[in-house]
């Protein structure tokens, strides 16, 4: 194995660009090889399967076949992509008639589905290689004094969780603590942000965003940390609408866990894409200001 076949997916090259930049920067700093999967295509996300399930499986399976040809596991930072790729792999295992159709389709493209390709999320990979303790030794600018609310979102917890017990996992909290920041109690850490509801049923979506942000602020968090481009987008882009219509004037930055980790590793904020955010990360304490300078 030469490393990981990096599958950014569509979001990380669009609204989640800062996630893409921070993943690449942190993996490079920690010496974990990444090489973007050549000629990858959209996974179809979760919506396409409701239109044409078999074609949706073929879209995702093509990426699995490309990774199989390389001989590397796939690294999928986007929880939506992780879900779709994993679901496709599971369905191809469980339903021979679907697998046969997909195999035939891929053969016409000169691709071989092969055996199962490991599908990994950055939280999984970095917790094992190099591991939390090794990362702790590389911390250059501890984020002491920063209070952070860990937000997994719903897709990392179900239906294909990245850990055995998603309801009691502390994997994201462990990474926050490695940076030197403080984890605040956050009961809504696996609650849905509303997903696409902010675009189609605005009032319902805004209500879900409000509930998440209100709780983070109530717990005294100075930042919310997530791993999902759609969660980050909803909590940031709709923050003013969700909070101010309910009489709350405060704002809270919403970062990716790789950005928080990158800052603690001493990487420049611009290399981590922090300049792209709508709500700037501007910690008040002197030690934190020096860490992000």
């Amino acid at each position: 194995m030469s490393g990981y076949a990096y599958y950014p997916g569509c979001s990380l090259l669009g609204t989640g660009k800062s996630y893409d930049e921070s993943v690449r920067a942190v993996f490079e700093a920690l010496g974990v090889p990444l090489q973007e999967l050549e000629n990858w295509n959209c996974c179809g996300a979760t919506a396409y399967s409701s239109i044409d399930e078999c074609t949706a499986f073929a879209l995702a399976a093509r990426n699995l076949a490309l990774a199989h040809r390389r001989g590397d596991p796939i690294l999928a930072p986007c929880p939506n992509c992780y879900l779709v790729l994993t679901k496709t792999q599971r369905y191809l295992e469980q339903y021979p008639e679907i697998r046969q159709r997909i195999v035939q389709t891929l053969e016409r493209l000169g691709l071989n589905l092969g055996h199962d390709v490991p599908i990994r999320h950055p939280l999984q990979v970095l917790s094992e290689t190099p591991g939390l303790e090794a990362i702790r030794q590389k911390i250059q600018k501890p984020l002491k004094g920063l209070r952070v609310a860990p937000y997994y979102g719903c897709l990392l917890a179900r239906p294909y969780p990245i850990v055995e017990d998603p309801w009691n996992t502390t994997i994201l909290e462990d990474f926050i603590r490695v940076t030197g920041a403080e984890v605040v109690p956050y009961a809504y850490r696996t609650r849905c942000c509303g997903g696409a509801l902010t675009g189609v049923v605005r009032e319902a979506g805004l209500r879900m965003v409000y509930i998440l942000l209100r709780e983070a602020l109530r717990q005294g968090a100075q930042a919310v940390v997530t791993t999902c481009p759609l969660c980050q987008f909803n909590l940031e882009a709709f923050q003013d609408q969700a909070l101010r219509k309910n009489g709350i004037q405060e704002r809270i930055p919403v970062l990716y866990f790789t950005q928080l980790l990158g800052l603690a590793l001493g990487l420049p904020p611009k290399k981590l894409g922090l300049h792209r955010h709508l709500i700037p990360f501007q910690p008040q304490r002197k030690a934190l200001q020096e860490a992000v300078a």
Side-chain angles (χ1 to χ4, degrees):
M1 184 183 76
S2 58
Y4 289 89
Y6 177 49
Y7 180 72
C10 306
S11 291
L12 270 72
L13 299 188
T15 55
K17 181 64 177 176
S18 60
Y19 193 16
D20 171 70
E21 291 170 331
S22 60
V23 167
R24 294 178 191 264
V26 164
F27 271 67
E28 180 184 10
L30 295 176
V32 183
L34 287 186
Q35 185 176 358
E36 188 169 330
L37 185 64
E38 187 177 355
N39 199 26
W40 60 267
N41 58 267
C42 175
C43 71
T46 53
Y48 196 73
S49 61
S50 65
I51 300 171
D52 186 336
E53 188 175 55
C54 194
T55 303
F57 284 138
L59 280 172
R62 181 179 178 275
N63 295 306
L64 296 175
L66 291 173
H68 168 72
R69 186 165 65 185
R70 273 186 43 169
D72 292 332
I74 286 184
L75 182 81
C78 172
N80 207 338
C81 295
Y82 179 89
L83 164 64
V84 171
L85 293 171
T86 302
K87 177 182 177 181
T88 297
Q89 193 171 78
R90 298 282 181 90
Y91 270 60
L92 295 180
E93 291 173 357
Q94 297 170 8
Y95 302 100
E97 66 279 10
I98 295 178
R99 183 179 182 89
Q100 183 178 4
R101 292 181 63 183
I102 300 306
V103 166
Q104 291 173 348
T105 300
L106 292 175
E107 286 177 348
R108 290 197 293 270
L109 300 174
L111 293 171
N112 178 15
L113 189 59
H115 300 292
D116 290 348
V117 173
I119 304 166
R120 309 283 282 164
H121 186 273
L123 283 171
Q124 295 171 304
V125 172
L126 294 181
S127 67
E128 300 166 2
T129 307
L132 289 169
E133 190 52 44
I135 293 174
R136 195 187 310 276
Q137 300 302 318
K138 294 179 179 290
I139 297 299
Q140 300 295 317
K141 296 182 176 181
L143 304 179
K144 293 182 179 178
L146 180 66
R147 291 172 55 81
V148 177
Y151 181 57
Y152 292 83
C154 55
L155 293 181
L156 288 185
R158 52 193 181 273
Y160 305 111
I162 64 169
V163 293
E164 289 185 4
D165 187 357
W167 307 113
N168 296 307
T169 183
T170 61
I171 189 170
L172 184 53
E173 287 89 333
D174 291 341
F175 274 99
I176 293 171
R177 293 189 181 99
V178 161
T179 71
E182 177 186 350
V183 177
V184 303
Y186 193 55
Y188 297 153
R189 59 189 190 148
T190 60
R191 184 165 177 160
C192 179
C193 71
L197 280 177
T198 49
V200 292
V201 188
R202 180 62 58 88
E203 286 304 310
L206 289 179
R207 180 65 183 172
M208 296 175 79
V209 168
Y210 165 70
I211 290 171
L212 294 174
L213 293 173
R214 179 194 60 186
E215 180 63 14
L217 290 169
R218 192 177 74 84
Q219 293 295 341
Q222 297 166 303
V224 175
V225 168
T226 188
T227 70
C228 176
L230 183 54
C231 294
Q232 196 282 334
F233 177 79
N234 275 340
L235 295 180
E236 183 181 62
F238 294 98
Q239 186 168 141
D240 286 350
Q241 294 179 55
L243 292 178
R244 290 180 182 175
K245 72 174 297 184
N246 288 283
I248 299 176
Q249 300 301 315
E250 293 178 75
R251 304 173 95 203
I252 184 169
V254 185
L255 310 181
Y256 294 107
F257 93 97
T258 41
Q259 291 178 310
L260 198 73
L261 182 56
L263 288 173
L265 290 169
L267 301 179
K270 192 168 185 179
K271 190 172 184 179
L272 300 170
L274 282 165
H275 60 293
R276 300 186 186 279
H277 287 251
L278 301 175
I279 300 176
F281 177 55
Q282 296 175 326
Q284 299 301 314
R285 297 188 183 185
K286 183 178 179 181
L288 291 175
Q289 290 177 334
E290 292 175 351
V292 301

